[in-house]
Amino acid sequence: MIIDIHGHYTTEPQALHQFRDKQLAGLADPMRRPLSSDLGITDEMLLKSVEPQLKFQKERGSDLTIFSPRAAGMAHHVGTEAISMQWSAMSNDLIYRICSLLPDNFAAVGQLPQHPGARPKNCIPELERIVNELGFVGVNLNPDPSGGYWTDPPLTDRQWYPLYEKLCELEVPAMIHVTSSCNPCFHHTGAHYINGDTTAFMQLIQGDLFKDFPTLKFVIPHGGGAVPFHWGRYRGLAQEMKKPLLSEHLLNNVFFDTCVYHFPGIELMAKVIPVDNILFASEMLGAVKGIDPETGHHYDDTKRYIDQLEKLDEESRYKIFEGNARRVYPRLDAQLAKRGRPARAA
């Protein structure tokens, strides 16, 4: 089974964007503020909207995509905390509907109603709702709700602890994922996303978070940003800080996906990062949608790159494509087992 752990709903019906425009216009004129019931998106519209994802699943040989709202669309820095709560709930409800309509193709991951300066514990009610009531298997956690200005404390700060406690209680991993950038210095997908991945990893090196939360699991997307390429730098910095080896300090809790859009990048990642910490992902219909003129294939057809790794044995391929995802996302594993797809014995 091929599980793609990183997919966003980037093909939403236009009605959702129209609702968002009215929602934000309502900040200036309350008379223009829409109700959640005004969305008017039918199941037929949802099925039509994900036809591109279904097409690529079939063509590229993947089976299931872990699906979440558009990352740039989270926009936690826009509006108010109340706006974020309404927008997050609405976005999560659409993901739930899609995954209910196509359970063999999609599993749900939600966004949290974060906002600059707001306490992360305020996200707990929505987290409990989507996991306990809607069956979501994970969440996206934004380390920078300010949208490129990094005004909130680092991920190791104790203000995050109530949220981490709930994630551990629910056995739900968090993908560390920023949203759109309002800082003109940082292009959102080309700079801010990679900055977020790299910065989060360095924050985790500096702290001792996993001593307090030994079962907390984070996925750092986009191949870990700059991390694999500068692995020696991070090993050396951890050593200077008198931290344990990274294999002990972080790698029982931190995992990386394969949203790296060229073979040399995947090849390097596979050499540097232990196979137990790599999860297959493509961010299909995400940051880079075009065709690479050097190969004639889509940049985000990342399965092709993994297939080219000649030194991977069968067990390692199983871990990357399925086994690691089921271990990191235990609620996904339970859902698949319930449908007659038990994990392969180790």
Side-chain angles (χ1 to χ4, degrees):
M1 186 177 190
I2 309 296
I3 300 173
D4 184 338
I5 67 137
H6 189 170
H8 296 297
Y9 190 21
T10 57
T11 54
E12 319 97 316
Q14 189 61 31
L16 183 64
H17 299 289
Q18 293 169 349
F19 178 93
R20 181 64 162 166
D21 290 342
K22 292 177 182 177
Q23 184 191 46
L24 298 180
L27 292 170
D29 180 3
M31 295 297 293
R32 299 176 65 183
R33 188 176 301 152
L35 300 174
S36 297
S37 57
D38 294 339
L39 187 58
I41 295 178
T42 66
D43 287 351
E44 289 74 19
M45 293 167 68
L46 292 177
L47 290 170
K48 181 69 175 177
S49 71
V50 295
E51 285 181 357
Q53 287 89 343
L54 297 176
K55 177 175 180 289
F56 279 136
Q57 280 184 345
K58 183 176 181 180
E59 290 179 354
R60 299 178 184 181
S62 65
D63 298 297
L64 178 76
T65 299
I66 295 181
F67 207 47
S68 65
R70 180 190 292 263
M74 295 189 297
H76 294 121
H77 53 279
V78 174
T80 64
E81 186 179 7
I83 287 290
S84 181
M85 288 182 175
Q86 181 192 32
W87 179 241
S88 295
M90 175 172 289
S91 299
N92 290 334
D93 286 345
L94 286 182
I95 295 297
Y96 168 71
R97 289 173 60 191
I98 291 170
C99 294
S100 297
L101 290 166
L102 297 163
D104 292 333
N105 299 94
F106 298 106
V109 159
Q111 73 181 53
L112 296 173
Q114 297 176 249
H115 190 69
R119 307 296 289 185
K121 69 179 181 181
N122 296 353
C123 298
I124 291 176
E126 179 64 6
L127 171 61
E128 291 182 315
R129 184 184 78 92
I130 60 177
V131 173
N132 291 331
E133 298 178 23
L134 305 185
F136 280 43
V137 302
V139 294
N140 292 334
L141 180 67
N142 186 353
D144 172 36
S146 70
Y149 289 96
W150 294 88
T151 57
D152 279 52
L155 291 170
T156 51
D157 188 87
R158 295 191 72 88
Q159 79 155 11
W160 295 93
Y161 275 32
L163 182 59
Y164 296 158
E165 289 171 359
K166 185 58 64 173
L167 289 170
C168 292
E169 175 190 324
L170 296 173
E171 295 187 291
V172 169
M175 176 176 282
I176 304 299
H177 207 308
V178 296
T179 183
S180 52
S181 172
C182 58
N183 185 334
C185 295
F186 302 116
H187 183 275
H188 71 292
T189 55
H192 186 42
Y193 281 20
I194 309 304
N195 292 346
D197 305 330
T198 308
T199 299
F201 188 77
M202 190 63 221
Q203 289 178 1
L204 296 174
I205 288 179
Q206 291 175 274
D208 294 293
L209 181 62
F210 302 118
K211 287 184 179 179
D212 292 333
F213 297 98
T215 63
L216 182 63
K217 292 183 174 64
F218 287 146
V219 177
I220 299 183
H222 318 117
V227 171
F229 189 72
H230 290 285
W231 194 247
R233 175 183 292 259
Y234 294 114
R235 289 175 55 236
L237 288 170
Q239 182 175 313
E240 290 178 11
M241 295 176 186
K242 310 301 182 185
K243 300 295 184 182
L245 296 174
L246 292 183
S247 57
E248 303 168 20
H249 189 42
L250 299 185
L251 293 187
N252 290 321
N253 306 83
V254 178
F255 305 86
F256 304 87
D257 78 15
T258 64
C259 290
V260 179
Y261 295 144
H262 64 151
F263 174 68
I266 291 289
E267 188 176 37
L268 171 69
M269 185 181 180
K271 288 180 179 179
V272 172
I273 304 298
V275 70
D276 287 339
N277 294 79
I278 301 175
L279 285 73
F280 171 65
S282 70
E283 205 174 8
M284 187 170 59
L285 296 178
V288 182
K289 306 179 185 69
I291 293 176
D292 185 345
E294 294 181 3
T295 67
H297 300 286
H298 286 84
Y299 288 99
D300 62 1
D301 187 359
T302 57
K303 182 177 180 295
R304 298 182 61 87
Y305 308 139
I306 298 166
D307 289 342
Q308 293 175 56
L309 293 172
E310 297 179 354
K311 294 184 179 180
L312 281 186
D313 58 24
E314 181 183 354
E315 181 62 23
S316 296
R317 291 182 189 278
Y318 169 74
K319 288 180 177 181
I320 291 173
F321 283 129
E322 178 180 353
N324 292 342
R326 298 181 72 139
R327 178 166 53 89
V328 174
Y329 292 82
R331 288 180 174 267
L332 173 65
D333 179 56
Q335 289 180 8
L336 292 174
K338 191 175 181 179
R339 295 179 205 155
R341 301 291 297 268
R344 195 169 82 184

